[in-house]
Amino acid sequence: MKVLANDGLSDSGINALTQVGIEFVEAKVSQEQLANFINENQIDVLLVRSATQVPQELIDECPSLKIIGRGGVGMDNIDVEYAIEQGLFVINTPNASSRSVAEMVFAHFFSLARFLHESNRLMPLEGDTHFNAMKKSFSKAIELEGKTLGVIGFGQIGKEVVKMGISLGMKVKVLTRKPKTETISLEFFDGQKVNFEITSTNNFDEFLKDTDFISINTPKTNEYIIDTPQFEKMKDGVFIVNTARGGVINEVALLDYIESGKVAGAALDVFENEPNPELQLLMNPNLSLSPHLGGNTLDAQEKIGAELAMQIIDIKTKL
């Protein structure tokens, strides 16, 4: 069996595969040349992250493929249904990067709440000439403790965001299409564990009411989850972070509501026009920005590699 990880694979994943006799083909192939490379090398397993696309056409052109794997949660760059219809195994790693994405959410929340995103921009330019003025302008920061955190989506990432909010002493709300109850466990270094029972709501108006911080943690959608009607119902001074997918929030409307003061600050790790975000977003001082880094930590990559390898090895024994 031959494996091509076109967007890379951690050493833990490579080692796990090669130890059981699976050949790892080390290459980074352009989208245009991918089908030719797979056919010429008789690749059985194609592993991707968000960069490589696996549409129906590629699946049709590559009869040697038996497994398609996604390092991460979202599968919107793979034609999953068609692949399964053609008898291929489709795998992903829904748990491996959840913690990293959740930590990114709060990295942005802290940055926004303490004006770090803006002070980091200005200090190199004006720190030696306007130090006291900046100190005064950034003095209206807020704490997260005691504030209300609203989490849209209750998958693995949403649950990790909820855990972090609880650990910071925040009140928590969760929005899902259908109400459901989940037990959230906080585990500590000394072996102690505390369980919290969280029930989500599907009432968007109730969810938005009095919510101070909003985190979007959903799969890709065909329409905006947050648009003008939702912004109108938010509390004045709300903070919003999107680490989900571009297109779940109306970026044009977001800028309007930042300008009006309704939204105190927002963070985007993903963009509608990715990888070429709009200049108006990049230049806005009230936005904390990152280039789709949510699950990109060394820790997450190790977990992703190990989890993909385990699934491939398990499938290989069944073929």
Side-chain angles (χ1 to χ4, degrees):
M1 177 174 277
K2 291 185 179 181
V3 176
L4 169 65
N6 205 45
D7 298 330
L9 190 68
S10 68
D11 289 342
S12 62
I14 296 171
N15 293 336
L17 292 172
T18 55
Q19 283 175 7
V20 296
I22 295 175
E23 182 180 346
F24 181 77
V25 179
E26 192 161 351
K28 170 62 178 173
V29 187
S30 69
Q31 189 73 46
E32 295 75 19
Q33 295 299 319
L34 188 55
N36 287 337
F37 186 91
I38 290 171
N39 291 330
E40 288 173 3
N41 293 275
Q42 288 297 290
I43 299 297
D44 303 281
V45 183
L46 173 62
L47 302 180
V48 302
R49 294 211 65 202
S50 57
T52 302
Q53 303 295 310
V54 190
Q56 177 179 334
E57 294 76 18
L58 182 68
I59 296 168
D60 286 339
E61 292 171 3
C62 302
S64 67
L65 284 180
K66 301 178 181 68
I67 304 172
I68 300 171
R70 167 70 158 89
V73 181
M75 304 277 275
D76 44 278
N77 57 324
I78 300 172
D79 195 329
V80 176
E81 290 185 9
Y82 185 76
I84 294 173
E85 287 174 3
Q86 300 307 304
L88 278 70
F89 292 90
V90 181
I91 59 177
N92 69 338
T93 58
N95 301 317
S97 59
S98 299
R99 180 73 187 191
S100 290
V101 177
E103 289 190 5
M104 175 64 87
V105 170
F106 278 92
H108 278 300
F109 276 149
F110 281 121
S111 182
L112 291 167
R114 298 305 300 265
F115 303 106
L116 296 180
H117 61 298
E118 192 171 359
S119 63
N120 277 326
R121 289 173 178 171
L122 293 179
M123 279 296 288
L125 301 174
E126 303 178 16
D128 59 339
T129 56
H130 295 84
F131 188 94
N132 289 331
M134 282 193 289
K135 181 176 180 179
K136 183 177 180 180
S137 67
F138 298 146
S139 64
K140 296 181 180 179
I142 61 171
E143 297 179 353
L144 274 66
E145 183 182 24
K147 304 303 190 297
T148 298
L149 169 67
V151 181
I152 302 178
F154 211 14
Q156 293 301 320
I157 295 172
K159 290 174 184 176
E160 288 294 331
V161 173
V162 167
K163 286 182 185 181
M164 291 187 192
I166 292 172
S167 69
L168 289 168
M170 302 183 80
K171 304 166 189 174
V172 174
K173 293 181 179 180
V174 178
L175 180 74
T176 53
R177 286 192 179 92
K178 296 180 180 179
K180 62 179 180 177
T181 299
E182 297 276 1
T183 299
I184 301 296
S185 296
L186 269 64
E187 299 180 6
F188 300 92
F189 69 97
D190 59 357
Q192 294 189 66
K193 183 170 73 171
V194 181
N195 291 334
F196 293 84
E197 197 170 82
I198 306 294
T199 300
S200 67
T201 179
N202 63 350
N203 186 323
F204 217 143
D205 292 353
E206 180 61 31
F207 172 81
L208 294 173
K209 183 182 178 183
D210 299 326
T211 300
D212 302 290
F213 293 83
I214 296 174
S215 175
I216 309 173
N217 304 108
T218 65
K220 185 176 178 63
T221 57
N222 294 323
E223 56 187 22
Y224 296 128
I225 294 175
I226 294 183
D227 203 345
T228 299
Q230 289 74 42
F231 282 117
E232 285 293 326
K233 293 170 183 175
M234 290 179 187
K235 178 180 181 179
D236 289 348
V238 68
F239 293 93
I240 305 169
V241 171
N242 180 21
T243 57
R245 285 289 186 271
V248 300
I249 184 170
N250 185 331
E251 294 172 352
V252 174
L254 173 63
L255 292 177
D256 290 340
Y257 283 94
I258 287 175
E259 183 68 25
S260 73
K262 164 70 77 171
V263 177
L268 300 175
D269 185 52
V270 289
F271 303 86
E272 288 190 68
N273 192 28
E274 193 171 316
N276 303 110
E278 300 297 335
L279 187 60
Q280 297 95 316
L281 298 173
L282 300 179
M283 300 301 292
N284 193 294
N286 292 305
L287 285 175
S288 180
L289 304 171
S290 52
H292 203 152
L293 298 176
N296 286 354
T297 63
L298 295 176
D299 309 83
Q301 297 313 307
E302 287 298 312
K303 295 174 188 175
I304 287 171
E307 192 171 323
L308 285 172
M310 287 177 59
Q311 293 183 70
I312 293 168
I313 292 167
D314 181 58
I315 292 171
K316 181 176 182 289
T317 62
K318 301 173 182 176
L319 292 174

